[in-house]
Amino acid sequence: MLRELPLYIMLLPAVVLVAIFSYGSMAGVIIAFQKFVPAKGMFGNQQWVGFQNFVTLFSMPNIGMVIRNTVIIALCKMIAGVVVPVGFALLLNEVRNHLTKRIFQTLVYLPHFLSWIILSGILLNLLSPNEGFVNIVLAKFGIEPIFFLGNPNVFPATMVLTDIWKSFGFGSVIYLAALTGIDPALYEAAVIDGANRWQQTKHITLPGISSMVVLMTVLGLANILNGGFDQIYNMYSPVVYSTGDILDTFVFRLGIEQAQYALSTAAGLFKSCVSLIFIVVSYYLADKFTGYRVF
């Protein structure tokens, strides 16, 4: 304990932050069971209403649409968030020039470090239906301008594609690391047996990283209700609520914009409970199929 004291001290700020913002804020869930009046305070003489806020929440006409949008967008992000990084990692692994490899890896890795505040401003300009670069290019091919952020049918796909553009570089690093763990002797034996590059990829590379792919997919189940608040909130509008409104943005509007604190807390608690179930299931599956254990 004394020998590792510097490490515990270094860890202390993170523990304090988690204790305050993750565990300390849990006391606020009692608002979901109250007829909350802000003037009385969270622990004041509030009227308890049991599960009435949840009944009201699930009787709202648009709650089913919000849950559906959340699941669809999050599920598409999760699937594409595995397929695209794996494909890119496989392609980048075939590049033999180390300088070219580093340049491409750095270029696709950079967007990961930019916040959605910055990226949303860039994307609003790029995807503008009138003067956006993307629509200017499409016009060269005779395609009519597309209102990417104002068309309900296009908006979910736009969110998925822009999220992948931002994050696939970071995800590919994980799979590139997994690729380095494959024994080179297997490839040498395959070449001797006459296997081409595709056969080597199919029978050696993909099986070699399959455990990592399964692990990342299973762990992604925990985020099935996280559609990406910071991304969508900065780029959506009432026009696309029918396909773009997710639980996080719905809770934000209820609590911050409409001051319905009890309802928004009930919605947030519902999301947290469902996410907890998926987290437990995902870690069980990760342990069962890949041997991954947190504790």
Side-chain angles (χ1 to χ4, degrees):
M1 184 76 177
L2 291 176
R3 185 179 67 252
E4 297 174 349
L5 185 60
L7 298 177
Y8 286 105
I9 294 175
M10 185 175 66
L11 190 63
L12 185 60
V15 173
V16 171
L17 288 174
V18 170
I20 294 174
F21 294 104
S22 295
Y23 289 94
S25 59
M26 283 184 178
V29 300
I30 64 173
I31 297 175
F33 306 97
Q34 299 173 337
K35 186 177 181 181
F36 184 70
V37 179
K40 295 181 180 180
M42 189 168 64
F43 300 105
N45 188 22
Q46 302 282 356
Q47 179 183 348
W48 293 88
V49 295
F51 290 94
Q52 184 57 46
N53 288 320
F54 292 91
V55 174
T56 303
L57 175 68
F58 288 108
S59 63
M60 298 178 73
N62 57 343
I63 187 64
M65 174 197 74
V66 170
I67 295 175
R68 182 200 67 209
N69 294 342
T70 305
V71 172
I72 291 174
I73 292 176
L75 192 61
C76 290
K77 284 183 178 181
M78 186 184 76
I79 295 173
V82 173
V83 174
V84 175
V86 168
F88 180 77
L90 292 175
L91 291 173
L92 197 61
N93 191 55
E94 296 297 319
V95 178
R96 293 291 171 256
N97 188 301
H98 290 287
L99 178 60
T100 304
K101 191 173 183 178
R102 287 177 179 274
I103 291 174
F104 275 100
Q105 189 171 348
T106 302
L107 287 175
V108 300
Y109 195 56
L110 282 176
H112 174 74
F113 297 100
L114 299 177
S115 72
W116 277 113
I117 300 293
I118 297 172
L119 289 178
S120 63
I122 296 172
L123 290 169
L124 285 171
N125 289 322
L126 288 176
L127 302 177
S128 170
N130 299 320
E131 301 177 352
F133 176 77
V134 174
N135 276 306
I136 291 175
V137 173
L138 292 178
K140 299 293 184 181
F141 294 93
I143 301 175
E144 293 292 324
I146 301 173
F147 199 173
F148 290 97
L149 303 179
N151 186 335
N153 297 322
V154 180
F155 185 80
T158 304
M159 293 299 97
V160 173
L161 292 175
T162 52
D163 180 75
I164 294 305
W165 169 65
K166 182 180 188 297
S167 60
F168 86 93
F170 178 80
S172 65
V173 173
I174 299 173
Y175 298 110
L176 283 171
L179 288 171
T180 60
I182 300 176
D183 189 355
L186 295 175
Y187 292 105
E188 295 172 2
V191 171
I192 293 174
D193 288 340
N196 56 33
R197 296 302 300 176
W198 166 243
Q199 291 171 327
Q200 293 174 41
T201 300
K202 181 180 178 181
H203 297 289
I204 299 176
T205 307
L206 290 178
I209 64 172
S210 60
S211 60
M212 182 59 68
V213 173
V214 172
L215 175 62
M216 298 303 295
T217 303
V218 168
L219 295 182
L221 288 174
N223 295 315
I224 197 66
L225 289 185
N226 289 328
F229 170 79
D230 47 354
Q231 176 198 16
I232 292 179
Y233 181 74
N234 282 290
M235 290 194 284
Y236 84 150
S237 63
V239 179
V240 295
Y241 278 178
S242 60
T243 59
D245 197 17
I246 61 173
L247 272 171
D248 289 332
T249 54
F250 180 71
V251 169
F252 180 84
R253 288 203 315 279
L254 276 179
I256 304 301
E257 297 181 0
Q258 301 176 20
Q260 299 186 50
Y261 303 112
L263 277 179
S264 64
T265 306
L269 182 57
F270 162 72
K271 177 194 167 185
S272 297
C273 290
V274 174
S275 296
L276 175 62
I277 294 172
F278 276 110
I279 287 173
V280 173
V281 171
S282 66
Y283 279 116
Y284 169 76
L285 294 176
D287 180 33
K288 183 177 179 61
F289 291 108
T290 66
Y292 175 85
R293 298 180 66 92
V294 181
F295 304 109

